[in-house]
C-alpha cells in the first residue's frame, strides 16, 4: 500500500507532464517532434559451483523522458541470490535464498520557463529481505538545477524537504521528516564510453535514520545497443540493528541494453 501511495504522486505528475506537452503541441507552442523514451536495462549473473552452489541475478533499469517543460526519470533495481549446500547429516541438498531486493524510484521535474532550474517531485520504495531495513520509502519535493551541460555531459543538483518511512528487520518502524539532497553527474570520455555518478542523501530531521546512497558506473559501448558496465553501489544507514552493518557495498560487471 505504501508503494502505491508513494509512487502514485510522481506517476500522476508524469502523466500531467505528458498531457501538458500534448496540449502545447496542439496549440503550436511546442516542437513538432517529442523526444522518444530512452534509457538502459542492465543484467548481471553470477554462478558458483563446487562445495557451495550459488546463483545471483541482478537487474537495473533506468528510463528517462526529456520534454520541453518536463524531465521524467524512473529507476528500478532487483536482486535475487540463492545458495545450494549439501546437508552433512542427511546428504541432501538444501536451497536457501540469501539475497532478495526490489526497489523503484520515480521522479518528475518541471522546468521553469524551459530553463536549467526546475521543481521536482520524487517517490522511492525499497524492499530488502536481508538488509538492515526490510522496507524504506520516501517522498520529497524541492528545487533542482542543471549546473552544467555540454552535449551529453551534465551535472544536476536537487534538494528539498520530504517524509520517509523505515521498517527495520528487527524492532519498531518509524517515520518522520527528512531533507533530501542529490547530485547526478554524467561524462562521456568518447562516443563509446562514459562515466556516471549519482549521490543521494536523506537526512533525518527527527533524529531517526539518515541514509546515503552512491552509484558509480563506467560503461563501454559494444555496438549501438549493447554495452559492458562496471559499477560500484554503496548504501549507508545510520540507525541499524546491533547485528547489522551500517554500510552495504556491491561491485558488479554486467551487460547493458540501451535504447
Amino acid at each position: 500500500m505504501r508503494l502505491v501511495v508513494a509512487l502514485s504522486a510522481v506517476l500522476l505528475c508524469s502523466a500531467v507532464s505528458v498531457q501538458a506537452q500534448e496540449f502545447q503541441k496542439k496549440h503550436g507552442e511546442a516542437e513538432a517532434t517529442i523526444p522518444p523514451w530512452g534509457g538502459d536495462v542492465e543484467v548481471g549473473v553470477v554462478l558458483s559451483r563446487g562445495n557451495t552452489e550459488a546463483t545471483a541475478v541482478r537487474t537495473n533499469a533506468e528510463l528517462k523522458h526529456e520534454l520541453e517543460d518536463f524531465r521524467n526519470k524512473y529507476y528500478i533495481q532487483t536482486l535475487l541470490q540463492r545458495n545450494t549446500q549439501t546437508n552433512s547429516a542427511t546428504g541432501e541438498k538444501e536451497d536457501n535464498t540469501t539475497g532478495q531486493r526490489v526497489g523503484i524510484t520515480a521522479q518528475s521535474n518541471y522546468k521553469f520557463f524551459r530553463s536549467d532550474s526546475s521543481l521536482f517531485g520524487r517517490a522511492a520504495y525499497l524492499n530488502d529481505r536481508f538488509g538492515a531495513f526490510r522496507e524504506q520509502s520516501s517522498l520529497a519535493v524541492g528545487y533542482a538545477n542543471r549546473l552544467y551541460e555540454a552535449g551529453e555531459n551534465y551535472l544536476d543538483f536537487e534538494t528539498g524537504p520530504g517524509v520517509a518511512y523505515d521498517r527495520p528487520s528487527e524492532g519498531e518502524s518509524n517515520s518522520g521528516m527528512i531533507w533530501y539532497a542529490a547530485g547526478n553527474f554524467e561524462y562521456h570520455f568518447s562516443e563509446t564510453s562514459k562515466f556516471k555518478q549519482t549521490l543521494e542523501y536523506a537526512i533525518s530531521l527527527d533524529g531517526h535514520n539518515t541514509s546515503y546512497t552512491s552509484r558509480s558506473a563506467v560503461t563501454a559501448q559494444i555496438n549501438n545497443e549493447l554495452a559492458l558496465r562496471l559499477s560500484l553501489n554503496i548504501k549507508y544507514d545510520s540507525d541499524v540493528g546491533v547485528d547489522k552493518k551500517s554500510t552495504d557495498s556491491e561491485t558488479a560487471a554486467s551487460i547493458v541494453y540501451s535504447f
Side-chain angles (χ1 to χ4, degrees):
M1 183 62 181
R2 297 184 186 91
L3 172 61
V4 175
V5 173
L7 292 184
S8 293
V10 171
L11 293 178
L12 177 60
C13 186
S14 299
V16 171
S17 72
V18 174
Q19 291 296 325
Q21 203 69 27
E22 289 294 334
F23 177 83
Q24 291 178 345
K25 181 181 177 182
K26 291 179 181 179
H27 290 75
E29 300 177 4
E31 298 294 334
T33 302
I34 296 179
W37 283 86
D40 56 52
V41 178
E42 173 186 349
V43 179
V45 180
V46 178
L47 301 176
S48 300
R49 294 295 181 263
N51 294 317
T52 299
E53 298 181 4
T55 302
V57 180
R58 172 183 176 270
T59 65
N60 291 319
E62 187 167 357
L63 311 176
K64 55 186 177 182
H65 197 190
E66 191 80 22
L67 303 172
E68 289 289 343
D69 295 310
F70 289 87
R71 177 182 301 122
N72 303 321
K73 58 183 179 181
Y74 308 90
Y75 180 72
I76 303 170
Q77 58 169 312
T78 68
L79 172 71
L80 179 61
Q81 180 173 312
R82 292 182 63 84
N83 286 11
T84 301
Q85 293 179 307
T86 302
N87 189 309
S88 57
T90 63
E92 296 181 353
K93 290 187 176 182
E94 298 177 348
D95 291 330
N96 298 293
T97 300
T98 56
Q100 184 176 313
R101 181 174 68 239
V102 177
I104 302 175
T105 301
Q107 179 170 326
S108 184
N109 289 46
Y110 171 70
K111 307 171 190 176
F112 297 124
F113 307 106
R114 301 179 182 176
S115 67
D116 293 330
S117 299
S118 61
L119 178 68
F120 77 89
R122 177 185 184 274
Y125 175 82
L126 176 66
N127 186 302
D128 192 346
R129 180 179 171 187
F130 297 93
F133 289 88
R134 184 65 181 269
E135 283 185 303
Q136 290 181 294
S137 60
S138 64
L139 182 64
V141 296
Y143 170 79
N145 191 289
R146 175 147 289 187
L147 302 176
Y148 166 78
E149 184 173 21
E152 295 181 294
N153 306 325
Y154 65 86
L155 172 62
D156 289 339
F157 173 76
E158 49 202 37
T159 187
V163 293
Y165 167 84
D166 297 320
R167 180 165 72 92
S169 56
E170 296 180 0
E172 297 182 355
S173 60
N174 60 73
S175 60
M177 297 294 297
I178 61 169
W179 190 267
Y180 175 78
N184 300 282
F185 174 70
E186 184 170 314
Y187 181 78
H188 290 247
F189 300 106
S190 66
E191 294 182 356
T192 59
S193 62
K194 65 179 179 179
F195 170 76
K196 187 170 185 179
Q197 175 67 56
T198 298
L199 299 174
E200 297 175 350
Y201 292 87
I203 304 170
S204 174
L205 302 180
D206 302 319
H208 298 304
N209 181 62
T210 290
S211 65
Y212 156 83
T213 302
S214 170
R215 295 193 296 270
S216 310
V218 176
T219 305
Q221 209 73 27
I222 300 174
N223 54 37
N224 291 335
E225 297 179 341
L226 296 179
L228 295 175
R229 175 172 294 167
L230 180 63
S231 61
L232 172 63
N233 295 345
I234 299 175
K235 186 175 184 297
Y236 169 82
D237 289 288
S238 64
D239 189 14
V240 299
V242 293
D243 61 337
K244 297 291 184 180
K245 293 183 178 181
S246 296
T247 304
D248 291 321
S249 63
E250 182 180 276
T251 304
S254 52
I255 295 290
V256 180
Y257 172 76
S258 303
F259 58 93

